[in-house]
Amino acid sequence: MIKIENLTKHFPGLDRPAVNKLSLEINEGEVCVLVGPSGCGKTTTMKMINRLHEPDEGEVYLNGKRASEMNQIDLRRGIGYVIQEIGLFPHMTIKENIATVPRELGWDRERINKRVRELLDLMGLDPEIYSDRRPAALSGGQRQRVGVARALAADPPVMLMDEPFAAVDPITRARLQNEFLRILDKMDKTIIFVTHDINEAIKMGDKIAVLREGELVQHSTPEELLDAPANEFVAQLVGRNRSIKRLHLIRVEDIIEEDADKYSVAAESGRKEIKDKLSESKVGALMVTDEQGCLLGRVDEQSLKKEGETAGELVDEIHDQVTADSTLNDSLSVMLESGEGYVPVVDEEKGFFRDIITLQDLLQEVRQG
Amino acid sequence: MKKENIKLLAVTVAIFVTGLVMVYYVMENPTDSMVERMLSRENIWRAFREHLVIVGVSMAGALAVGIPGGILLSRPRFYYIGKVFENIVNIGQTVPSLAILALFYTILGLGFNTAVFAIWLYSILPILRNTFAGITSISDEVIESARGMGMTGRRILTRIELPLAAPIITAGIRTAIVINVGTATLATFIGAGGLGDLIVTGLSIRRNMIIITGAGLSALLAILLDFWIGQIKLRLVKW
Ligand SMILES: Nc1ncnc2c1ncn2[C@@H]1O[C@H](COP(=O)(O)OP(=O)(O)OP(=O)(O)O)[C@@H](O)[C@H]1O
Ligand SMILES: [Mg+2]
């Protein structure tokens, strides 16, 4: 899909090339993460793909066609670009910002409106509230999401994303990453994703390309990167606790056993049923669910001392849960934050309770790795 | 009607009424026959019309040259020329307008054309400088993201650069128009007529009423045009 061959770029006044003889191949539908320290040439590489920079040497091929021979404007319209500095247009509303490429392509108004709403929903921004605001009235993280929505607008087959989630807090970032991976599952896009967070690289990438001073150091799957770092530089980048890093690679849904019944009671269950099930539960608590199977809260020995007959009356609130598409690392963070040795897992789309995941489960995964 | 339209209409009417009342008053109550002859309807109208023509022609010319010129200088390949030009303009603006008129009088001689030419040249400066400054002050990432999304140079100019530079460009036009109307009162010294005729005649025959009529009308004209451009800016710049 994208083939980079021997790409080199010199900037005047720099003693070494910003990008040096870089070759990479990215298959269709693949997420390739460029990772490396600041100034290693990640942004420069991206800009040579959509020809914001012309390479001094080498060539970029898109579907076998030379980028240098394609019409610059058409080339760029077919590539979604999330610029590192976000670069929203301050004089336009959020809606107009997102509509940029569709408008350049001449879509009709109705189609544009529909698409904008769809994308705002996707990014977790209420269209009613945000459509007509200007970028100045958004937080940094919200702007970044608008930047991603704008790049997705015309549904380009290729996306270049330069640190798209850098300005959001860790929890929102994890959510956006998960949502984005889910969107990707459905869309089958070829993506080049830049980050200098190795954890993000491991989580997002099908392949990871490690750059250093403009040169490619290693190009491999996240697993290979963890198992066999090419040299000391990569090993340092990946860090010592590699088995813990592996937690970024595994999704909750891959290890849970769908034991929803074992760990939950319906809201109308009586004390007897709760007691019986509690004695079976390895975490000393049960999740309470409504008719749809959605989480209402939890009950444990303490709750049984309260007044009330059914689980629905005895229930205590819980604040922490993870979606089934989260990584094990996400659930570890939630456990550490809540101070509990387990966290309930809910379905990311329907919201029903699926299972619980415990610290033991995580430890087991780490040991296996 | 929208609130901003009501304001536009109300202020415009107020300025017109003030001008008409003033003219009517001085025509009805001349202090003596010399004032009466000077402030005849024909004479006031002629001075005002000449003034309008000088302002109109020179401003239209200044806009036609200043904005495209500023855009051109803001293109990357002319950027350094633009920077140099910006400095020249800043120095040029410190030369008094009367000196500019005098200078061109020595080159081009007396008359309407000389006045229009000098005032035109003088009014280009703030418009051109502000257009250049407004466009070049737009942050790189905004332009880069527009380019990265496949907007053509022309579309970037009309949809991104000009709208974002609009507040600064209109500020330049306002400066130009105030200078322009003021300088046009000096055109009388090189025989180009205008409201300056009233002021200078009033001074030489010591009739305050004539001076105030000429000065008042040119002030009202400056206020009105300045207000209109401010209103245009309000309607263009919504962010
Ligand atoms: N337009 C430019 N002119 C001159 N030098 C540049 C230009 N753009 C980038 N460079 C230089 O090229 C090198 C690579 O820059 P690049 O922006 O690709 O780094 P990066 O990997 O994206 O870093 P970061 O993680 O900080 O964004 C740096 O040394 C930078 O100073
Ligand atoms: Mg960068």
Side-chain angles (χ1 to χ4, degrees):
Chain A
M1 179 75 194
I2 305 176
K3 194 168 145 204
I4 293 171
E5 222 172 61
N6 225 4
L7 216 53
T8 301
K9 179 78 189 175
H10 274 278
F11 285 115
L14 244 64
D15 51 354
R16 59 172 181 81
V19 174
N20 196 4
K21 297 198 168 52
L22 181 72
S23 298
L24 262 184
E25 216 165 310
I26 298 134
N27 298 322
E28 189 158 349
E30 193 174 277
V31 179
C32 174
V33 180
L34 301 183
V35 61
S38 190
C40 69
K42 304 181 294 290
T43 300
T44 309
T45 304
M46 297 256 246
K47 287 185 183 169
M48 282 191 282
I49 296 173
N50 65 9
R51 289 180 61 197
L52 283 173
H53 289 323
E54 297 291 352
D56 294 332
E57 273 169 52
E59 183 61 78
V60 175
Y61 297 89
L62 288 156
N63 279 330
K65 274 193 281 185
R66 288 170 180 269
S68 61
E69 287 167 4
M70 292 166 74
N71 175 299
Q72 217 175 37
I73 300 298
D74 294 337
L75 172 81
R76 290 178 187 158
R77 286 181 188 169
I79 300 178
Y81 182 41
V82 183
I83 175 175
Q84 186 166 14
E85 299 85 358
I86 312 176
L88 297 183
F89 305 135
H91 60 302
M92 294 187 187
T93 62
I94 298 311
K95 183 175 140 185
E96 290 166 336
N97 264 287
I98 296 177
T100 306
V101 182
R103 208 160 32 193
E104 294 301 305
L105 294 171
W107 291 16
D108 60 56
R109 184 190 293 259
E110 203 162 313
R111 186 167 168 211
I112 290 179
N113 286 343
K114 191 163 156 271
R115 182 67 180 153
V116 169
R117 297 185 70 87
E118 204 174 280
L119 284 165
L120 282 172
D121 277 333
L122 199 67
M123 290 294 135
L125 296 168
D126 184 350
E128 300 297 327
I129 300 174
Y130 295 102
S131 279
D132 295 325
R133 287 206 191 173
R134 312 226 177 234
L138 259 55
S139 73
Q142 290 169 335
R143 275 179 227 166
Q144 212 155 35
R145 280 184 264 170
V146 173
V148 174
R150 184 173 66 168
L152 281 168
D155 208 8
V158 175
M159 299 268 291
L160 305 176
M161 309 180 73
D162 204 342
E163 308 209 18
F165 304 134
V168 293
D169 63 280
I171 293 181
T172 312
R173 185 185 314 166
R175 215 197 78 226
L176 285 177
Q177 288 168 343
N178 293 337
E179 279 172 8
F180 196 68
L181 286 170
R182 190 155 71 223
I183 297 168
L184 285 187
D185 269 351
K186 293 176 198 156
M187 294 196 296
D188 200 38
K189 293 195 182 304
T190 308
I191 294 180
I192 301 191
F193 189 106
V194 165
T195 176
H196 45 245
D197 174 2
I198 186 71
N199 293 327
E200 188 170 55
I202 292 172
K203 179 171 177 183
M204 303 299 289
D206 297 317
K207 288 278 189 62
I208 297 177
V210 182
L211 299 188
R212 182 195 191 182
E213 300 190 343
E215 291 177 23
L216 183 66
V217 184
Q218 183 167 6
H219 183 214
S220 61
T221 62
E223 288 84 356
E224 284 167 343
L225 199 75
L226 290 172
D227 289 341
N231 58 23
E232 189 52 29
F233 175 75
V234 181
Q236 286 224 334
L237 190 76
V238 173
R240 287 209 185 286
N241 40 9
R242 273 182 241 151
S243 42
I244 291 188
K245 290 256 160 27
R246 210 171 291 279
L247 294 179
H248 289 284
L249 278 173
I250 308 167
R251 314 227 149 248
V252 171
E253 59 200 345
D254 298 335
I255 71 160
I256 55 174
E257 285 152 358
E258 310 286 350
D259 277 337
D261 270 354
K262 211 159 124 192
Y263 296 107
S264 66
V265 286
E268 62 274 11
S269 322
R271 282 175 171 272
K272 166 106 177 47
E273 192 184 338
I274 298 174
K275 268 187 199 144
D276 288 348
K277 271 197 165 174
L278 257 182
S279 59
E280 301 277 302
S281 169
K282 62 179 172 186
V283 294
L286 294 171
M287 303 300 121
V288 182
T289 55
D290 61 14
E291 308 88 86
Q292 276 87 43
C294 292
L295 264 187
L296 292 175
R298 48 172 254 175
V299 286
D300 55 16
E301 292 294 341
Q302 291 296 320
S303 347
L304 284 173
K305 292 182 185 143
K306 292 198 294 189
E307 304 265 320
E309 284 313 313
T310 66
E313 291 162 5
L314 296 168
V315 66
D316 290 317
E317 267 184 65
I318 40 173
H319 303 288
D320 303 298
Q321 55 184 49
V322 293
T323 50
D325 62 350
S326 314
T327 63
L328 296 191
N329 189 73
D330 296 336
S331 16
L332 179 63
S333 314
V334 172
M335 285 183 218
L336 292 177
E337 210 139 298
S338 68
E340 300 275 1
Y342 68 94
V343 59
V345 179
V346 298
D347 189 82
E348 69 269 18
E349 272 170 19
K350 314 262 161 42
F352 56 80
F353 173 63
R354 283 175 68 168
D355 199 354
I356 59 168
I357 183 163
T358 66
L359 209 48
Q360 260 69 38
D361 298 335
L362 300 186
L363 283 176
Q364 204 174 348
E365 287 300 325
V366 172
R367 282 198 204 102
Q368 279 172 6
Chain B
M1 198 160 33
K2 275 209 217 124
K3 210 169 151 190
E4 49 182 0
N5 291 339
I6 294 175
K7 185 183 166 194
L8 170 63
L9 198 69
V11 174
T12 305
V13 168
I15 293 173
F16 267 98
V17 167
T18 311
L20 287 174
V21 165
M22 190 170 82
V23 170
Y24 184 75
Y25 178 83
V26 296
M27 272 165 32
E28 291 298 305
N29 306 289
T31 43
D32 58 48
S33 64
M34 275 219 279
V35 174
E36 189 173 6
R37 218 176 316 127
M38 209 44 215
L39 293 182
S40 68
R41 172 133 53 114
E42 294 73 40
N43 212 21
I44 295 178
W45 175 236
R46 179 197 52 78
F48 188 69
R49 201 182 52 220
E50 284 167 356
H51 205 87
L52 268 188
V53 172
I54 296 174
V55 169
V57 172
S58 61
M59 258 329 269
L63 288 171
V65 172
I67 293 178
I71 293 171
L72 195 69
L73 289 181
S74 70
R75 298 304 92 184
R77 81 191 98 130
F78 296 125
Y79 181 78
Y80 287 100
I81 305 177
K83 275 284 166 203
V84 172
F85 197 84
E86 203 175 13
N87 288 318
I88 296 176
V89 168
N90 287 336
I91 297 166
Q93 289 230 290
T94 61
V95 180
S97 38
L98 189 57
I100 295 269
L101 280 175
L103 179 72
F104 282 100
Y105 155 68
T106 60
I107 303 170
L108 299 171
L110 287 174
F112 173 81
N113 291 344
T114 307
V116 168
F117 182 79
I119 295 172
W120 166 71
L121 208 61
Y122 204 62
S123 314
I124 291 177
L125 304 183
I127 298 175
L128 190 115
R129 180 197 52 199
N130 279 32
T131 304
F132 174 76
I135 292 178
T136 51
S137 68
I138 298 170
S139 59
D140 290 344
E141 69 236 32
V142 168
I143 302 301
E144 188 143 83
S145 70
R147 293 211 301 139
M149 283 186 291
M151 290 177 86
T152 60
R154 179 181 303 239
R155 294 277 291 170
I156 293 176
L157 180 66
T158 56
R159 293 201 55 92
I160 312 284
E161 290 178 310
L162 287 178
L164 279 176
I168 301 179
I169 298 177
T170 46
I173 298 175
R174 283 176 95 151
T175 310
I177 216 142
V178 172
I179 293 176
N180 189 307
V181 174
T183 310
T185 57
L186 304 176
T188 178
F189 290 117
I190 55 173
L195 290 168
D197 276 1
L198 297 184
I199 299 174
V200 172
T201 313
L203 281 170
S204 61
I205 61 173
R206 304 205 181 169
R207 295 294 187 282
N208 287 347
M209 191 174 249
I210 307 179
I211 302 176
I212 290 170
T213 306
L217 284 179
S218 61
L220 284 174
L221 182 64
I223 293 171
L224 181 68
L225 293 176
D226 180 62
F227 172 73
W228 277 353
I229 295 172
Q231 289 289 303
I232 292 174
K233 187 207 136 177
L234 273 184
R235 284 162 169 72
L236 279 179
V237 181
K238 294 283 188 193
W239 77 93

